Each structure stands twice: as structure tokens, then as C-alpha cells.
Amino acid sequence: MNIIISPSKEMTTIDSQQPAIHLYNGLQFRYLRENLTNEDFSFLNQQLHIISAEHGLLRPLDEIGAYRRDFTEKGLYKKWNDQIYQALVKEGRTILNVASDEFSKTITRYATPEDHIVSVSFFERDSEGHLKKHSTISKKGRGQLVNFIARKRVTNLTDIKSFTDMGYQFSETESGPINWVFIRPKGA
């Protein structure tokens, strides 16, 4: 199973090269890294891919320096074309997509019927039963899900449905075959 995730615009202030997983410092990456061991990071290095507008496809332990570039910059999708997708599918065609739309389309726009891509969404249910999705919930959820995968050594896509950190539950009724939905009660 390959996991794709977006980088964070927030980066550490250290000027030297360092592993990508430690360079990105946004909310998603802070939740992702929390209480992980060196063995957990080694496990993630085999499964997780960070989609970078600067570097293409990164592994968590790839050493890089701070940069400022994302796919809002004109011409970057054209520059990368299908290179990021091709690099990823060489690793396997079962893909868990926890990346933002901006970054995941470097993969999804080239997907073929041979690919099994499952995207994950995170929601809160308010007191009236309505589902709410906002960027903070999504960033925390994506980071915590990858943290769960590392701690539990998840290698089978269907095992992700057992994710319950932060009060989340997999919702069979809200999910589809390629979009899995996790919901938690507000304030959980």
C-alpha cells in the first residue's frame, strides 16, 4: 500500500538539510509525528510519499532544505506532467490518498482502471446531526491517520477502517468504494 500526503507550507526554521518528515511543521505533520519512534518512521519510509511541488515524490526520511513552492504556481502541473504518478505506481497501484486536492490531482488525473485509489475524508457531526468538514478537522485527521498506520504497522488498506483515534469512526453509510469517510462527534 502506498500512502500519499501533501506537504505543509509551514516548515521548521532550521537552515540545514533534514528529513522531510521533520521539516514540515504544519498541523497535519505535528499530529502525524506525535509519539512516533524511530522504528515507526522507518516503517513509514516504506509506505508514505509526500508530494512536493519542488521535489516531486519524497519519502519521509529524504533529506531536503526548506523551500516555498506549491501547485498554485503557474505551470507546475504542466512541468511535472505525469512524472509524480509514474514514480508512485512503480511502487504499487494500491494507494491511500490523504493528500489535499491540490496535490492529489498530480496522481488522480492520471489514474487508470489498474489503480486502486481510496481517498479519505474527515467530518465532525454537530449536535443537530449535520456533518461539518473544515481544514482544521481534515489536517488533524489526516495526520492522526498516518500516525495510526505507523503505530499499528498497517499494510492492508481495509485495516484502515479500524481507525478510531480522536473519536473517529468509519462510516459505512457515508463512504463509497473510493472515498472513505470518518466521522467524530463535535468536541471529541
Side-chain angles (χ1 to χ4, degrees):
M1 171 179 69
N2 288 309
I3 307 162
I4 57 171
I5 196 166
S6 314
S8 169
K9 291 180 183 175
E10 296 174 48
M11 297 186 194
T12 62
T13 56
I14 299 170
D15 290 334
S16 64
Q17 300 264 319
Q18 60 183 303
I21 196 84
H22 298 297
L23 175 74
Y24 301 115
N25 205 30
L27 192 57
Q28 170 181 258
F29 280 86
R30 291 193 306 267
Y31 274 77
L32 187 160
R33 290 190 304 261
E34 189 172 333
N35 297 319
L36 292 185
T37 66
N38 287 337
E39 291 80 18
D40 296 331
F41 287 121
S42 292
F43 174 81
L44 275 182
N45 203 53
Q46 302 305 308
Q47 306 231 351
L48 184 63
H49 304 269
I50 304 164
I51 300 172
S52 166
E54 178 75 17
H55 301 285
L57 209 55
L58 292 169
R59 291 288 190 165
L61 300 179
D62 288 350
E63 297 223 354
I64 60 171
Y67 64 92
R68 281 282 186 228
R69 180 174 264 183
D70 60 31
F71 282 100
T72 59
E73 187 177 315
K74 187 175 178 164
L76 278 180
Y77 287 114
K78 187 174 181 177
K79 173 195 171 206
W80 284 106
N81 198 7
D82 72 342
Q83 292 176 56
I84 295 172
Y85 167 78
Q86 292 297 337
L88 182 66
V89 296
K90 283 181 185 173
E91 304 281 329
R93 293 190 174 270
T94 300
I95 300 164
L96 178 65
N97 176 16
V98 292
S100 68
D101 292 341
E102 174 189 343
F103 286 86
S104 65
K105 70 180 172 182
T106 63
I107 305 299
T108 58
R109 70 182 349 166
Y110 301 106
T112 70
E114 296 173 47
D115 301 318
H116 182 210
I117 302 174
V118 173
S119 298
V120 180
S121 300
F122 297 92
F123 293 88
E124 272 187 346
R125 187 175 306 278
D126 67 18
S127 57
E128 289 144 20
H130 300 106
L131 294 180
K132 302 286 183 190
K133 180 180 182 181
H134 52 78
S135 65
T136 301
I137 290 171
S138 294
K139 288 174 184 177
K140 288 178 182 179
R142 290 191 304 248
Q144 192 64 44
L145 177 62
V146 175
N147 180 287
F148 166 83
I149 290 168
R151 286 183 290 109
K152 301 294 183 182
R153 301 293 192 270
V154 176
T155 58
N156 184 333
L157 193 59
T158 58
D159 291 344
I160 291 163
K161 292 178 179 180
S162 67
F163 173 69
T164 58
D165 291 10
M166 300 170 60
Y168 282 106
Q169 295 288 319
F170 175 74
S171 173
E172 194 75 51
T173 58
E174 298 291 336
S175 296
I178 61 169
N179 187 19
W180 291 356
V181 174
F182 289 85
I183 301 170
R184 72 178 192 171
K186 186 173 178 132

